[in-house]
Amino acid sequence: AFGGRASMWDAANGMRDIKEQLLLRGVDSVVGWSLFVAAGVSADGTTIAGVGLNPQGEYEGWVAHLEGGSSCYPDCNGDGQLTVADFGCFQTKYVLGCP
């Protein structure tokens, strides 16, 4: 963990906080969580599992699925509707280098 937080690393971006990266990708279900440990990553890097403190203050396992890696698409949160929230999420993904 990076400073007591679940973290990820790659050669292009260095060490990054997983919760921050999920929030940047529009994964708002991590709001209120403290992600302490990233214990496993799928071979393609799109699924991460770990342990954290949920919004109720209880330790719990978590799994995050990153949509197909770094693809950019207009319906950023996948709810079938295009809204202002999708626009902001799409811009963030584009700035992060989505193809």
Side-chain angles (χ1 to χ4, degrees):
F2 179 59
R5 299 173 304 209
S7 57
M8 55 197 261
W9 180 90
D10 65 46
N13 300 295
M15 189 70 75
R16 294 173 289 154
D17 181 277
I18 290 176
K19 181 179 176 180
E20 289 176 10
Q21 293 302 306
L22 291 170
L23 290 169
L24 286 172
R25 289 177 166 92
V27 180
D28 59 0
S29 59
V30 297
V31 171
W33 277 78
S34 294
L35 306 181
F36 297 132
V37 176
V41 180
S42 64
D44 65 1
T46 61
T47 302
I48 306 168
V51 177
L53 201 61
N54 69 25
Q56 291 74 40
E58 302 165 335
Y59 286 94
E60 186 174 339
W62 55 268
V63 176
H65 302 285
L66 304 176
E67 298 277 333
S70 62
S71 61
C72 287
Y73 49 93
D75 183 15
C76 199
N77 63 8
D79 67 357
Q81 300 177 4
L82 295 178
T83 65
V84 173
D86 290 308
F87 181 70
C89 178
F90 178 79
Q91 284 183 313
T92 300
K93 284 187 171 193
Y94 182 79
V95 168
L96 291 173
C98 288

